[in-house]
Amino acid sequence: MTFRRWNWPRLLPFSLVISVCYRCNSRCQTCNVWKKHADELSLEEWDRIFANIGRAPYYLTFTGGEPFLRHDLADIIAAAYRHCRPAVITLPTNGLLNELIPVKVEEILHKTPDSKLGVNLSLDGVGGQHDAIRGVPGNYERAMRTYRALKAINHPNLTVSLHTVISRFNVSDIPDIYKALTELEPDSYITEIAEARVELDTIGLDIAPPLEDYDQAVDFLVRQLRRQRFGGISKVTQAFRQRYYDLARRTLREQRQVIPCYAGWASGHISPEGDVWTCCIRGEPIGNLRETGYDLRPIWFGARAEQLRRSIRAGECYCPMANASYANMLLHVPTLLRVFWRTIG
């Protein structure tokens, strides 16, 4: 918080998103990332990046495209673990590589013994609806095979979640989708709103749900959370999720940063070719790691980064992106107090 306010102490981000590729075997109506091309960083380059970053990150997300299309994904994550020792690692996937993904997840678990690994399987509908939104016939059935295989791993460090992107294509069906997917008994069920992102090449696309329809979907999801009884860390997690839903719709309705955004301070993003972004919504490079000897510090503490931080601090952008929002909530005292009282209530 003091880094954002007074530019001291200067710290590397505790939450980093690592895009290992843009390649994807889905053709989603809500995403055009598969159309993008990148001169992808090699395993050796990623190793140098993580060696220079060191122990700063607490939370690492490895995404794409479809991250499991990188044949060396487990080795990239192992390099991050060796140098950074993150407490939490997350991996989103479309689940299409149903024979490969469970094998790679077991390999990653073996190579990261002290990290919690969360695999988020994307399902935007049930059966044919999901296939239509994701643009691949048979996607739902292949994702189900992946899901069943992941659940069978039964490793204490593994969390298998189901993730739905709420868009104009499925917003009216969220109650039915929720019922069908939660009956599969995932460790967690997560939603995020479809939005325009530079990273996904979706600027100008009509993919976001109408706000009034999204309000109804969020009301339903919050009611379901309140009806359930959680204990321990799950109770805290669900309290944060309820707060996220409220912040997401307020952000969209009020068109402003409802709480301060810490993208560029506490969270950041590295693209497949080494560009560094404060976040993937704006996707504005503040430098490239290939030009700094794979050292994040000259970029993160440089003039271009400070210029972009001034823009963020001034509220010139706003978004409900989940990854950054959770980092923001952790650094916002009123939100922490609200979550605390909800947890003990």
Side-chain angles (χ1 to χ4, degrees):
M1 289 186 288
T2 58
F3 183 18
R4 189 182 194 274
R5 179 170 295 182
W6 295 300
N7 202 33
W8 180 90
R10 301 200 304 171
L11 302 172
L12 292 178
F14 73 76
S15 175
L16 264 177
V17 178
I18 310 295
S19 289
V20 294
C21 66
Y22 290 137
R23 291 175 284 138
C24 192
N25 45 2
S26 287
R27 297 294 181 265
C28 302
Q29 295 185 56
T30 56
C31 177
N32 284 330
V33 73
W34 59 274
K35 294 182 178 180
K36 300 176 69 171
H37 300 279
D39 179 13
E40 296 171 8
L41 293 162
S42 67
L43 170 61
E44 291 74 19
E45 288 178 301
W46 281 118
D47 185 78
R48 292 180 64 183
I49 291 168
F50 295 132
N52 282 320
I53 290 175
R55 298 296 181 92
Y58 178 88
Y59 194 108
L60 290 178
T61 297
F62 291 86
T63 186
E66 170 52 48
F68 286 94
L69 287 174
R70 284 284 304 234
H71 68 88
D72 53 359
L73 176 65
D75 293 324
I76 292 173
I77 295 175
Y81 177 82
R82 185 167 60 253
H83 296 297
C84 305
R85 284 294 194 275
V88 181
I89 298 169
T90 58
L91 273 166
T93 179
N94 59 30
L96 281 170
L97 301 172
N98 55 280
E99 294 184 358
L100 174 70
I101 291 170
V103 173
K104 286 294 182 181
V105 167
E106 288 196 274
E107 183 181 350
I108 292 166
L109 286 165
H110 176 72
K111 292 181 175 182
T112 60
D114 295 323
S115 293
K116 298 294 184 182
L117 177 65
V119 179
N120 298 335
L121 180 60
S122 297
L123 291 173
D124 293 343
V126 179
Q129 181 188 34
H130 176 70
D131 294 354
I133 293 173
R134 291 282 166 159
V136 178
N139 187 326
Y140 186 79
E141 179 52 38
R142 288 161 70 180
M144 284 296 94
R145 291 179 202 154
T146 299
Y147 177 73
R148 290 190 289 268
L150 290 173
K151 291 293 282 184
I153 293 174
N154 195 29
H155 191 285
N157 286 351
L158 176 64
T159 299
V160 182
S161 301
L162 297 180
H163 177 277
T164 298
V165 176
I166 302 179
S167 68
R168 70 178 185 87
F169 307 109
N170 65 0
V171 64
S172 61
D173 300 312
I174 288 302
D176 293 333
I177 294 170
Y178 174 90
K179 182 177 185 297
L181 297 187
T182 54
E183 285 178 352
L184 297 172
E185 299 184 345
D187 297 317
S188 180
Y189 177 68
I190 310 164
T191 70
E192 188 170 5
I193 188 170
E195 55 189 323
R197 297 187 185 184
V198 170
E199 174 205 20
L200 303 182
D201 197 21
T202 54
I203 302 299
L205 294 188
D206 182 20
I207 58 176
L211 185 54
E212 59 273 16
D213 294 341
Y214 183 67
D215 272 341
Q216 292 181 25
V218 167
D219 285 341
F220 169 81
L221 293 168
V222 170
R223 285 198 304 273
Q224 303 313 305
L225 285 173
R226 288 175 177 167
R227 287 173 182 170
Q228 300 175 55
R229 292 293 177 264
F230 300 97
I233 191 64
S234 294
K235 191 172 184 179
V236 177
T237 301
Q238 298 306 325
F240 270 106
R241 188 156 298 146
Q242 287 186 51
R243 182 61 176 152
Y244 165 71
Y245 287 141
D246 179 57
L247 289 174
R249 62 175 161 188
R250 282 189 60 195
T251 299
L252 294 169
R253 186 185 301 117
E254 300 172 23
Q255 298 189 21
R256 67 181 182 90
Q257 294 177 19
V258 177
I259 65 174
C261 180
Y262 286 86
W265 290 273
S267 60
H269 195 125
I270 302 176
S271 76
E273 62 269 75
D275 282 341
V276 179
W277 306 329
T278 56
C279 73
C280 64
I281 300 295
R282 293 177 64 152
E284 299 177 36
I286 56 176
N288 187 284
L289 288 159
R290 283 173 167 152
E291 298 172 0
T292 61
Y294 306 98
D295 189 351
L296 180 59
R297 285 172 179 80
I299 298 172
W300 201 248
F301 304 132
R304 176 62 183 137
E306 180 52 37
Q307 179 184 358
L308 201 50
R309 288 190 190 106
R310 284 196 295 270
S311 172
I312 297 168
R313 193 188 297 114
E316 294 176 354
C317 58
Y318 57 89
C319 76
M321 185 179 67
N323 195 286
S325 293
Y326 282 103
N328 297 340
M329 287 189 287
L330 287 169
L331 294 169
H332 187 241
V333 173
T335 292
L336 290 177
L337 290 174
R338 186 184 295 249
V339 169
F340 173 75
W341 287 116
R342 182 172 289 167
T343 301
I344 66 173

